[in-house]
Amino acid sequence: MMIIGIDDTDSQTEGGCTTYLAAVLMEKLQEYGDFVDYPLLIRLNPNIKYKTRGNGAIALRIEIEVGRLEKAKEMVLDEVAGQSRLSDENTNPGVVFLNGTSGDLKYDLKSFSRRAIQDILKIEDAKHLINAHKIDSYEFKNGRGLIGALAAAGIALNGTPDHTFELIAYRYLSRASTGTPRDIDTATVREADLRTYPRTWDTVDIANKKVVCVPHGNDPVLFGIRGEMDGVLDAFNRIKSEPVERAVVFRTNQGTDMHLIRSTVDQVKDGCSYILKGLVCDQPRTIHGGHVIFRITDETGETIDCAAFEPTKNFRDIVRRLIAGDSVIVCGSASNGTIKLEKIKIEHLAAGYEFVNPVCACGRRMKSAGAGQGYRCKRCGNRSSVPDRVSIERDLDTGWYEVPPCARRHIAKPLVRCRGAVHPSR
Ligand code: ATP
């Protein structure tokens, strides 16, 4: 069996798409052998600054007769060279071919793939592994794509503990290259979502009235449906749109939370994504731009800011209801020393209270006596300098909450895939 890993062929400005390249290779490689599985679309660390969009890399697994290997490789490399947007300085393709599957290679690649999903690697890390195992590899320009190519090939070799599917439908080049707006009957998309959820997810964002399965860039993707296999096929058959040039189902690590590292606050470093358990330190505050921020502390005594940024829309309403003392688990990436929230579990609610004007000995509630002057009973003239603290019921349930589909990261596990006390957002 040959595994082909490819990454970093597309560009934000010049277009292209590594998954489209994979889709074309699926067709062209058919005459060379038999595919062992669906093509793999692997999402790597979502915090990498070099990414074009979702930091995806692809891997294909195919049985090819030894005599046809070289010709197949040549065809793959021609296609990569032809489709890559090499004029963009940020496009640095990498391709790897794995034929052997020695135990050491498997082990080293497993750890490399995990680091590519959870940490930040250097091009040298990929080249070191390639040299150590004499991996057949090809790079264009600075070869940064070797990182993603190796990581995806590593997952193809070792498998993933969890996976979902995405069906991606592509546009005809004549429309994609001229920037013609995507012609999709959004009513059929909404209907497809209603009929197939929860076997599909993140097709539309009902609360925020957005279709999220249709991209807006100059890439050839018409739409992408995420979910379980039967769900994505069902939804695809219900959507009416401009002609689909081709559609391919990818097995992916999307919706699996593979990027999250269980940790404590003192270990957090920018660029990685975490699961942290702690206590809310202060009342969440809304800052300029509509972002909601609060601090948590954990057993290490360290504190860290957590943020529900403005694009997380209605998720912020949940976060605003937290108070000091609430026990939470937060999930998200660290950036500038702040956790950008993807999900939160409210484990235990602290007792809620509010301050009200004190009650006078006569039984009537006092009135404010003026700014900074405490309270005064209008009838008896009694005074008090402190308000009464009274218990109130908390307007929040325990359990997991998540950002809405319009703010979801590809790799984040949607709550619709989780069990227990969950409040899926849709
Ligand atoms: P698309 O999703 O449209 O295919 P993209 O968002 O995947 O685009 P790429 O064009 O693949 O972005 O660019 C990402 C680059 O970052 C690649 O060169 C890849 O090898 C590299 N990369 C991926 N993960 C890591 C990591 N953990 N550390 C360092 N570099 C990484």
Side-chain angles (χ1 to χ4, degrees), residues 6-12 15-20 41-58 90-94 112-123 125 142-151 219 221 271 410:
I6 305 174
D7 195 17
D8 205 347
T9 64
D10 54 14
S11 149
Q12 236 162 32
C17 176
T18 307
T19 70
Y20 180 72
L41 166 56
I42 299 302
R43 298 291 175 181
L44 304 169
N45 185 342
N47 310 305
I48 295 300
K49 66 176 178 188
Y50 304 108
K51 71 179 180 178
T52 310
R53 281 176 293 267
N55 202 8
I58 60 122
N90 216 8
T91 300
N92 298 284
F112 185 88
S113 303
R114 187 187 52 75
R115 286 166 62 214
I117 293 170
Q118 298 188 333
D119 207 341
I120 299 174
L121 293 168
K122 299 196 188 74
I123 302 174
D125 295 324
N142 76 17
R144 180 170 291 109
L146 288 174
I147 298 173
L150 260 189
D219 55 278
V221 174
H410 301 277

Short mmCIF file of all heavy atoms in Angstrom, two decimals, residues 6-12 15-20 41-58 90-94 112-123 125 142-151 219 221 271 410, ligand 1:
data_model
loop_
_atom_site.label_atom_id
_atom_site.label_comp_id
_atom_site.label_asym_id
_atom_site.label_seq_id
_atom_site.Cartn_x
_atom_site.Cartn_y
_atom_site.Cartn_z
N ILE A 6 -0.16 15.22 1.30
CA ILE A 6 0.04 16.48 0.54
C ILE A 6 -0.46 17.65 1.38
O ILE A 6 -1.50 17.56 2.05
CB ILE A 6 -0.76 16.48 -0.79
CG1 ILE A 6 -0.41 15.25 -1.63
CG2 ILE A 6 -0.50 17.77 -1.58
CD1 ILE A 6 -1.24 15.10 -2.90
N ASP A 7 0.28 18.77 1.33
CA ASP A 7 -0.22 19.97 2.00
C ASP A 7 0.36 21.24 1.39
O ASP A 7 1.37 21.21 0.69
CB ASP A 7 0.12 19.93 3.50
CG ASP A 7 -0.71 20.96 4.28
OD1 ASP A 7 -1.72 21.44 3.75
OD2 ASP A 7 -0.32 21.27 5.41
N ASP A 8 -0.35 22.32 1.67
CA ASP A 8 0.08 23.70 1.38
C ASP A 8 0.18 24.01 -0.11
O ASP A 8 1.22 24.45 -0.62
CB ASP A 8 1.43 23.99 2.07
CG ASP A 8 1.60 25.48 2.33
OD1 ASP A 8 0.82 26.28 1.78
OD2 ASP A 8 2.53 25.84 3.08
N THR A 9 -0.92 23.79 -0.82
CA THR A 9 -0.91 24.04 -2.27
C THR A 9 -1.73 25.27 -2.64
O THR A 9 -1.65 25.76 -3.75
CB THR A 9 -1.53 22.84 -3.02
OG1 THR A 9 -2.91 22.73 -2.65
CG2 THR A 9 -0.81 21.54 -2.70
N ASP A 10 -2.56 25.75 -1.69
CA ASP A 10 -3.50 26.82 -2.07
C ASP A 10 -3.10 28.18 -1.50
O ASP A 10 -2.13 28.29 -0.76
CB ASP A 10 -4.92 26.44 -1.65
CG ASP A 10 -5.00 26.08 -0.18
OD1 ASP A 10 -4.04 26.36 0.55
OD2 ASP A 10 -6.01 25.49 0.23
N SER A 11 -3.89 29.18 -1.85
CA SER A 11 -3.55 30.55 -1.49
C SER A 11 -4.82 31.35 -1.22
O SER A 11 -5.84 31.14 -1.89
CB SER A 11 -2.78 31.17 -2.65
OG SER A 11 -3.00 32.55 -2.74
N GLN A 12 -4.73 32.26 -0.25
CA GLN A 12 -5.90 33.07 0.08
C GLN A 12 -6.24 34.01 -1.07
O GLN A 12 -7.39 34.28 -1.36
CB GLN A 12 -5.62 33.90 1.32
CG GLN A 12 -6.64 33.68 2.41
CD GLN A 12 -6.13 34.14 3.75
OE1 GLN A 12 -5.35 35.08 3.85
NE2 GLN A 12 -6.59 33.48 4.80
N GLY A 15 -6.36 31.60 -4.89
CA GLY A 15 -7.33 30.51 -4.99
C GLY A 15 -6.70 29.14 -4.83
O GLY A 15 -5.63 28.97 -4.25
N GLY A 16 -7.40 28.14 -5.38
CA GLY A 16 -6.94 26.75 -5.23
C GLY A 16 -7.48 26.15 -3.95
O GLY A 16 -8.13 26.83 -3.14
N CYS A 17 -7.23 24.85 -3.78
CA CYS A 17 -7.70 24.17 -2.56
C CYS A 17 -7.06 22.79 -2.55
O CYS A 17 -7.14 22.05 -3.53
CB CYS A 17 -9.22 24.04 -2.62
SG CYS A 17 -9.89 23.12 -1.23
N THR A 18 -6.41 22.46 -1.42
CA THR A 18 -5.72 21.17 -1.35
C THR A 18 -6.73 20.01 -1.40
O THR A 18 -6.42 18.95 -1.94
CB THR A 18 -4.84 21.10 -0.09
OG1 THR A 18 -3.99 22.26 -0.09
CG2 THR A 18 -3.96 19.87 -0.07
N THR A 19 -7.95 20.23 -0.89
CA THR A 19 -8.93 19.13 -0.94
C THR A 19 -9.37 18.89 -2.40
O THR A 19 -9.66 17.76 -2.78
CB THR A 19 -10.20 19.39 -0.08
OG1 THR A 19 -10.99 20.41 -0.67
CG2 THR A 19 -9.85 19.74 1.35
N TYR A 20 -9.42 19.96 -3.20
CA TYR A 20 -9.81 19.79 -4.61
C TYR A 20 -8.73 18.99 -5.34
O TYR A 20 -9.04 18.11 -6.16
CB TYR A 20 -10.03 21.15 -5.27
CG TYR A 20 -10.45 21.01 -6.72
CD1 TYR A 20 -11.72 20.55 -7.05
CD2 TYR A 20 -9.56 21.32 -7.75
CE1 TYR A 20 -12.10 20.38 -8.38
CE2 TYR A 20 -9.93 21.16 -9.09
CZ TYR A 20 -11.20 20.69 -9.39
OH TYR A 20 -11.57 20.51 -10.69
N LEU A 41 -8.95 13.93 5.28
CA LEU A 41 -8.76 15.38 5.42
C LEU A 41 -8.44 15.60 6.89
O LEU A 41 -9.31 15.41 7.75
CB LEU A 41 -10.04 16.12 5.00
CG LEU A 41 -10.15 17.60 5.39
CD1 LEU A 41 -8.97 18.41 4.86
CD2 LEU A 41 -11.46 18.20 4.88
N ILE A 42 -7.20 15.96 7.16
CA ILE A 42 -6.76 16.09 8.55
C ILE A 42 -6.56 17.56 8.91
O ILE A 42 -5.80 18.27 8.24
CB ILE A 42 -5.44 15.30 8.78
CG1 ILE A 42 -5.65 13.81 8.48
CG2 ILE A 42 -4.92 15.49 10.21
CD1 ILE A 42 -6.73 13.13 9.30
N ARG A 43 -7.26 18.00 9.93
CA ARG A 43 -7.10 19.37 10.42
C ARG A 43 -5.98 19.37 11.46
O ARG A 43 -6.00 18.59 12.41
CB ARG A 43 -8.39 19.86 11.07
CG ARG A 43 -9.56 19.92 10.12
CD ARG A 43 -9.38 21.01 9.09
NE ARG A 43 -10.44 20.99 8.09
CZ ARG A 43 -10.49 21.84 7.07
NH1 ARG A 43 -9.55 22.74 6.88
NH2 ARG A 43 -11.46 21.78 6.20
N LEU A 44 -5.01 20.26 11.23
CA LEU A 44 -3.86 20.37 12.13
C LEU A 44 -4.09 21.55 13.08
O LEU A 44 -5.17 22.12 13.11
CB LEU A 44 -2.59 20.50 11.29
CG LEU A 44 -2.44 19.34 10.29
CD1 LEU A 44 -1.34 19.62 9.29
CD2 LEU A 44 -2.20 18.03 11.02
N ASN A 45 -3.06 21.89 13.85
CA ASN A 45 -3.20 22.96 14.86
C ASN A 45 -3.89 24.19 14.25
O ASN A 45 -3.37 24.80 13.32
CB ASN A 45 -1.79 23.32 15.36
CG ASN A 45 -1.86 24.33 16.50
OD1 ASN A 45 -2.87 24.99 16.68
ND2 ASN A 45 -0.77 24.43 17.24
N PRO A 46 -5.06 24.54 14.78
CA PRO A 46 -5.80 25.67 14.17
C PRO A 46 -5.16 27.03 14.43
O PRO A 46 -5.65 28.03 13.91
CB PRO A 46 -7.17 25.57 14.85
CG PRO A 46 -6.95 24.82 16.11
CD PRO A 46 -5.78 23.91 15.88
N ASN A 47 -4.07 27.07 15.20
CA ASN A 47 -3.48 28.38 15.56
C ASN A 47 -2.23 28.70 14.75
O ASN A 47 -1.46 29.58 15.13
CB ASN A 47 -3.11 28.38 17.05
CG ASN A 47 -4.28 27.92 17.89
OD1 ASN A 47 -5.37 28.48 17.79
ND2 ASN A 47 -4.09 26.87 18.67
N ILE A 48 -2.02 27.99 13.64
CA ILE A 48 -0.79 28.20 12.86
C ILE A 48 -0.94 29.43 11.97
O ILE A 48 -1.89 29.52 11.19
CB ILE A 48 -0.51 26.95 12.00
CG1 ILE A 48 -0.21 25.76 12.91
CG2 ILE A 48 0.64 27.18 11.02
CD1 ILE A 48 0.97 25.92 13.83
N LYS A 49 0.02 30.35 12.08
CA LYS A 49 -0.15 31.63 11.35
C LYS A 49 -0.02 31.45 9.83
O LYS A 49 -0.50 32.29 9.07
CB LYS A 49 0.83 32.68 11.86
CG LYS A 49 2.28 32.38 11.58
CD LYS A 49 3.17 33.52 12.04
CE LYS A 49 4.61 33.16 11.79
NZ LYS A 49 5.58 34.06 12.32
N TYR A 50 0.60 30.38 9.38
CA TYR A 50 0.80 30.20 7.93
C TYR A 50 -0.44 29.64 7.23
O TYR A 50 -0.47 29.51 6.02
CB TYR A 50 1.96 29.23 7.66
CG TYR A 50 3.24 29.65 8.30
CD1 TYR A 50 3.74 28.96 9.40
CD2 TYR A 50 3.95 30.75 7.82
CE1 TYR A 50 4.93 29.36 10.01
CE2 TYR A 50 5.12 31.15 8.43
CZ TYR A 50 5.61 30.45 9.52
OH TYR A 50 6.76 30.85 10.11
N LYS A 51 -1.47 29.27 8.00
CA LYS A 51 -2.60 28.57 7.38
C LYS A 51 -3.34 29.49 6.41
O LYS A 51 -3.35 30.72 6.58
CB LYS A 51 -3.56 28.05 8.45
CG LYS A 51 -4.34 29.13 9.15
CD LYS A 51 -5.29 28.53 10.17
CE LYS A 51 -6.06 29.67 10.84
NZ LYS A 51 -7.03 29.20 11.81
N THR A 52 -3.95 28.87 5.39
CA THR A 52 -4.76 29.63 4.43
C THR A 52 -6.16 29.80 5.01
O THR A 52 -6.70 30.90 5.04
CB THR A 52 -4.86 28.86 3.10
OG1 THR A 52 -3.55 28.49 2.70
CG2 THR A 52 -5.49 29.73 2.01
N ARG A 53 -6.75 28.70 5.47
CA ARG A 53 -8.09 28.77 6.08
C ARG A 53 -8.14 27.87 7.31
O ARG A 53 -7.94 28.34 8.41
CB ARG A 53 -9.16 28.34 5.07
CG ARG A 53 -9.52 29.42 4.06
CD ARG A 53 -10.49 28.91 3.01
NE ARG A 53 -9.86 27.91 2.18
CZ ARG A 53 -9.25 28.20 1.02
NH1 ARG A 53 -9.24 29.43 0.57
NH2 ARG A 53 -8.68 27.25 0.32
N GLY A 54 -8.38 26.59 7.09
CA GLY A 54 -8.64 25.71 8.24
C GLY A 54 -7.49 24.79 8.60
O GLY A 54 -7.67 23.82 9.32
N ASN A 55 -6.28 25.08 8.12
CA ASN A 55 -5.10 24.22 8.35
C ASN A 55 -5.42 22.75 8.12
O ASN A 55 -5.28 21.92 9.02
CB ASN A 55 -4.48 24.45 9.73
CG ASN A 55 -3.02 24.00 9.73
OD1 ASN A 55 -2.46 23.67 8.68
ND2 ASN A 55 -2.41 23.99 10.90
N GLY A 56 -5.82 22.45 6.89
CA GLY A 56 -6.09 21.06 6.52
C GLY A 56 -4.96 20.48 5.67
O GLY A 56 -4.31 21.20 4.91
N ALA A 57 -4.72 19.20 5.84
CA ALA A 57 -3.77 18.48 4.98
C ALA A 57 -4.48 17.20 4.54
O ALA A 57 -5.43 16.77 5.19
CB ALA A 57 -2.50 18.15 5.74
N ILE A 58 -4.01 16.59 3.45
CA ILE A 58 -4.73 15.41 2.98
C ILE A 58 -3.81 14.20 2.83
O ILE A 58 -2.59 14.35 2.66
CB ILE A 58 -5.47 15.69 1.64
CG1 ILE A 58 -4.50 16.09 0.55
CG2 ILE A 58 -6.51 16.77 1.80
CD1 ILE A 58 -4.61 15.18 -0.60
N ASN A 90 3.29 32.50 0.50
CA ASN A 90 2.83 31.68 1.61
C ASN A 90 2.45 30.26 1.18
O ASN A 90 1.95 29.48 1.97
CB ASN A 90 1.62 32.37 2.25
CG ASN A 90 1.60 32.19 3.76
OD1 ASN A 90 2.55 31.67 4.34
ND2 ASN A 90 0.51 32.59 4.37
N THR A 91 2.62 29.95 -0.11
CA THR A 91 2.30 28.60 -0.60
C THR A 91 3.59 27.83 -0.82
O THR A 91 4.40 28.18 -1.67
CB THR A 91 1.49 28.68 -1.92
OG1 THR A 91 0.29 29.40 -1.65
CG2 THR A 91 1.13 27.31 -2.44
N ASN A 92 3.80 26.80 0.01
CA ASN A 92 5.05 26.04 -0.01
C ASN A 92 4.73 24.54 0.06
O ASN A 92 4.85 23.92 1.12
CB ASN A 92 5.91 26.44 1.19
CG ASN A 92 6.29 27.91 1.14
OD1 ASN A 92 7.16 28.31 0.37
ND2 ASN A 92 5.61 28.72 1.95
N PRO A 93 4.33 23.97 -1.07
CA PRO A 93 3.82 22.59 -1.03
C PRO A 93 4.84 21.55 -0.57
O PRO A 93 6.06 21.69 -0.77
CB PRO A 93 3.42 22.32 -2.49
CG PRO A 93 3.24 23.67 -3.10
CD PRO A 93 4.24 24.55 -2.42
N GLY A 94 4.29 20.51 0.03
CA GLY A 94 5.09 19.35 0.42
C GLY A 94 4.31 18.10 0.07
O GLY A 94 3.09 18.07 0.19
N PHE A 112 4.63 12.58 15.65
CA PHE A 112 4.73 13.78 14.81
C PHE A 112 3.34 14.32 14.48
O PHE A 112 3.08 15.53 14.56
CB PHE A 112 5.50 13.46 13.52
CG PHE A 112 5.75 14.65 12.65
CD1 PHE A 112 6.88 15.44 12.83
CD2 PHE A 112 4.83 15.03 11.67
CE1 PHE A 112 7.10 16.56 12.05
CE2 PHE A 112 5.04 16.15 10.89
CZ PHE A 112 6.18 16.92 11.07
N SER A 113 2.42 13.43 14.12
CA SER A 113 1.06 13.85 13.77
C SER A 113 0.40 14.52 14.97
O SER A 113 -0.27 15.55 14.84
CB SER A 113 0.19 12.66 13.34
OG SER A 113 0.78 11.99 12.26
N ARG A 114 0.58 13.92 16.15
CA ARG A 114 -0.04 14.50 17.35
C ARG A 114 0.49 15.91 17.59
O ARG A 114 -0.25 16.85 17.86
CB ARG A 114 0.22 13.61 18.57
CG ARG A 114 -0.53 14.08 19.82
CD ARG A 114 -0.15 13.31 21.07
NE ARG A 114 1.29 13.26 21.31
CZ ARG A 114 2.02 14.26 21.76
NH1 ARG A 114 1.45 15.41 22.02
NH2 ARG A 114 3.32 14.13 21.92
N ARG A 115 1.83 16.06 17.44
CA ARG A 115 2.42 17.39 17.66
C ARG A 115 1.94 18.38 16.60
O ARG A 115 1.75 19.56 16.89
CB ARG A 115 3.95 17.29 17.67
CG ARG A 115 4.46 16.65 18.97
CD ARG A 115 5.90 16.23 18.85
NE ARG A 115 6.80 17.33 18.60
CZ ARG A 115 7.91 17.24 17.86
NH1 ARG A 115 8.23 16.10 17.29
NH2 ARG A 115 8.68 18.28 17.69
N ALA A 116 1.75 17.93 15.38
CA ALA A 116 1.28 18.85 14.32
C ALA A 116 -0.15 19.32 14.60
O ALA A 116 -0.54 20.41 14.20
CB ALA A 116 1.35 18.16 12.96
N ILE A 117 -0.92 18.48 15.31
CA ILE A 117 -2.30 18.86 15.63
C ILE A 117 -2.35 19.72 16.90
O ILE A 117 -3.18 20.60 17.03
CB ILE A 117 -3.17 17.59 15.78
CG1 ILE A 117 -3.30 16.89 14.42
CG2 ILE A 117 -4.56 17.92 16.32
CD1 ILE A 117 -3.92 15.50 14.47
N GLN A 118 -1.41 19.45 17.83
CA GLN A 118 -1.52 20.12 19.13
C GLN A 118 -0.46 21.18 19.39
O GLN A 118 -0.58 21.96 20.34
CB GLN A 118 -1.42 19.07 20.25
CG GLN A 118 -2.55 18.05 20.21
CD GLN A 118 -2.56 17.15 21.40
OE1 GLN A 118 -1.52 16.90 22.02
NE2 GLN A 118 -3.73 16.62 21.74
N ASP A 119 0.60 21.20 18.58
CA ASP A 119 1.72 22.08 18.91
C ASP A 119 2.20 22.79 17.64
O ASP A 119 1.62 22.65 16.58
CB ASP A 119 2.85 21.23 19.51
CG ASP A 119 3.72 22.03 20.46
OD1 ASP A 119 3.71 23.28 20.38
OD2 ASP A 119 4.44 21.40 21.26
N ILE A 120 3.32 23.53 17.78
CA ILE A 120 3.87 24.23 16.63
C ILE A 120 5.21 23.59 16.27
O ILE A 120 6.09 23.46 17.12
CB ILE A 120 4.05 25.73 16.97
CG1 ILE A 120 2.67 26.32 17.29
CG2 ILE A 120 4.71 26.47 15.80
CD1 ILE A 120 2.70 27.74 17.79
N LEU A 121 5.34 23.18 15.01
CA LEU A 121 6.55 22.48 14.57
C LEU A 121 7.36 23.37 13.63
O LEU A 121 6.84 24.36 13.09
CB LEU A 121 6.16 21.19 13.83
CG LEU A 121 5.51 20.11 14.69
CD1 LEU A 121 4.90 19.02 13.82
CD2 LEU A 121 6.52 19.51 15.65
N LYS A 122 8.61 22.96 13.42
CA LYS A 122 9.46 23.67 12.44
C LYS A 122 9.61 22.79 11.20
O LYS A 122 9.48 21.56 11.29
CB LYS A 122 10.84 23.92 13.05
CG LYS A 122 10.83 24.77 14.29
CD LYS A 122 12.26 25.27 14.55
CE LYS A 122 12.37 25.97 15.88
NZ LYS A 122 12.33 25.04 17.03
N ILE A 123 9.96 23.44 10.08
CA ILE A 123 10.17 22.66 8.85
C ILE A 123 11.29 21.63 9.10
O ILE A 123 11.23 20.50 8.63
CB ILE A 123 10.55 23.58 7.66
CG1 ILE A 123 9.46 24.63 7.44
CG2 ILE A 123 10.76 22.77 6.39
CD1 ILE A 123 9.79 25.68 6.38
N ASP A 125 11.86 19.97 11.75
CA ASP A 125 11.34 18.78 12.45
C ASP A 125 10.88 17.74 11.41
O ASP A 125 11.12 16.55 11.56
CB ASP A 125 10.14 19.14 13.35
CG ASP A 125 10.54 20.07 14.49
OD1 ASP A 125 11.65 19.90 15.01
OD2 ASP A 125 9.75 20.96 14.83
N ASN A 142 9.99 26.70 0.09
CA ASN A 142 10.63 26.36 1.38
C ASN A 142 10.15 25.03 1.97
O ASN A 142 10.66 24.59 3.01
CB ASN A 142 10.52 27.51 2.39
CG ASN A 142 9.14 27.64 3.03
OD1 ASN A 142 8.34 26.72 2.98
ND2 ASN A 142 8.86 28.78 3.63
N GLY A 143 9.17 24.39 1.35
CA GLY A 143 8.77 23.04 1.77
C GLY A 143 8.01 22.97 3.09
O GLY A 143 7.92 21.89 3.69
N ARG A 144 7.44 24.10 3.54
CA ARG A 144 6.71 24.04 4.82
C ARG A 144 5.58 23.01 4.79
O ARG A 144 5.24 22.41 5.80
CB ARG A 144 6.14 25.42 5.19
CG ARG A 144 5.39 25.40 6.51
CD ARG A 144 5.00 26.76 7.03
NE ARG A 144 6.14 27.52 7.45
CZ ARG A 144 6.63 28.58 6.81
NH1 ARG A 144 6.02 29.04 5.74
NH2 ARG A 144 7.69 29.19 7.24
N GLY A 145 5.04 22.79 3.60
CA GLY A 145 3.95 21.82 3.46
C GLY A 145 4.34 20.41 3.86
O GLY A 145 3.46 19.56 4.05
N LEU A 146 5.66 20.15 3.99
CA LEU A 146 6.09 18.81 4.41
C LEU A 146 5.55 18.49 5.81
O LEU A 146 5.28 17.33 6.13
CB LEU A 146 7.62 18.71 4.44
CG LEU A 146 8.32 18.67 3.07
CD1 LEU A 146 9.83 18.73 3.25
CD2 LEU A 146 7.92 17.40 2.29
N ILE A 147 5.36 19.55 6.63
CA ILE A 147 4.85 19.31 8.00
C ILE A 147 3.45 18.68 7.91
O ILE A 147 3.20 17.61 8.47
CB ILE A 147 4.79 20.64 8.80
CG1 ILE A 147 6.19 21.25 8.94
CG2 ILE A 147 4.14 20.42 10.16
CD1 ILE A 147 6.21 22.65 9.56
N GLY A 148 2.57 19.35 7.17
CA GLY A 148 1.20 18.84 7.06
C GLY A 148 1.14 17.52 6.29
O GLY A 148 0.36 16.63 6.65
N ALA A 149 1.96 17.41 5.24
CA ALA A 149 1.95 16.20 4.43
C ALA A 149 2.35 14.98 5.28
O ALA A 149 1.70 13.92 5.22
CB ALA A 149 2.91 16.36 3.24
N LEU A 150 3.39 15.15 6.09
CA LEU A 150 3.85 14.04 6.95
C LEU A 150 2.82 13.72 8.02
O LEU A 150 2.55 12.55 8.32
CB LEU A 150 5.13 14.47 7.67
CG LEU A 150 6.47 14.00 7.16
CD1 LEU A 150 7.55 14.36 8.17
CD2 LEU A 150 6.48 12.49 6.91
N ALA A 151 2.23 14.80 8.59
CA ALA A 151 1.25 14.60 9.67
C ALA A 151 0.04 13.83 9.14
O ALA A 151 -0.45 12.90 9.79
CB ALA A 151 0.82 15.94 10.25
N ASP A 219 -12.06 29.97 -3.78
CA ASP A 219 -11.67 28.55 -3.91
C ASP A 219 -12.78 27.79 -4.65
O ASP A 219 -13.87 28.30 -4.83
CB ASP A 219 -11.46 27.97 -2.51
CG ASP A 219 -12.68 28.16 -1.64
OD1 ASP A 219 -12.86 29.26 -1.06
OD2 ASP A 219 -13.48 27.22 -1.56
N VAL A 221 -14.56 25.28 -3.73
CA VAL A 221 -15.57 24.58 -2.91
C VAL A 221 -16.93 25.25 -3.08
O VAL A 221 -17.05 26.46 -2.90
CB VAL A 221 -15.17 24.56 -1.42
CG1 VAL A 221 -16.29 23.96 -0.57
CG2 VAL A 221 -13.88 23.80 -1.22
N GLY A 271 -0.51 29.49 21.26
CA GLY A 271 -0.40 28.68 20.04
C GLY A 271 -0.92 27.27 20.23
O GLY A 271 -1.04 26.52 19.27
N HIS A 410 -13.15 23.91 12.67
CA HIS A 410 -13.36 22.60 12.04
C HIS A 410 -13.10 21.45 13.01
O HIS A 410 -13.80 20.46 13.01
CB HIS A 410 -12.38 22.41 10.87
CG HIS A 410 -12.49 23.43 9.80
ND1 HIS A 410 -13.42 23.37 8.81
CD2 HIS A 410 -11.79 24.55 9.56
CE1 HIS A 410 -13.27 24.39 7.99
NE2 HIS A 410 -12.29 25.13 8.43
P1 ATP B 1 -6.70 24.82 3.20
O1 ATP B 1 -7.44 24.39 4.42
O2 ATP B 1 -7.47 25.75 2.37
O3 ATP B 1 -6.10 23.67 2.46
P2 ATP B 1 -4.78 25.56 5.03
O4 ATP B 1 -5.50 26.45 5.98
O5 ATP B 1 -4.68 24.11 5.25
O6 ATP B 1 -5.43 25.70 3.65
P3 ATP B 1 -2.06 25.58 4.25
O7 ATP B 1 -2.02 26.28 2.93
O8 ATP B 1 -2.03 24.11 4.26
O9 ATP B 1 -3.33 26.15 5.01
O10 ATP B 1 -0.89 26.14 5.16
C1 ATP B 1 -0.62 25.67 6.46
C2 ATP B 1 0.88 25.47 6.60
O11 ATP B 1 1.21 25.29 7.97
C3 ATP B 1 1.38 24.25 5.88
O12 ATP B 1 2.64 24.55 5.30
C4 ATP B 1 1.56 23.21 6.96
O13 ATP B 1 2.56 22.26 6.67
C5 ATP B 1 1.96 24.09 8.12
N1 ATP B 1 1.59 23.52 9.41
C6 ATP B 1 0.51 22.76 9.69
N2 ATP B 1 0.51 22.43 11.00
C7 ATP B 1 1.60 22.96 11.54
C8 ATP B 1 2.16 22.93 12.86
N3 ATP B 1 1.57 22.31 13.85
N4 ATP B 1 3.32 23.59 13.07
C9 ATP B 1 3.91 24.28 12.05
N5 ATP B 1 3.44 24.33 10.79
C10 ATP B 1 2.30 23.67 10.54
#
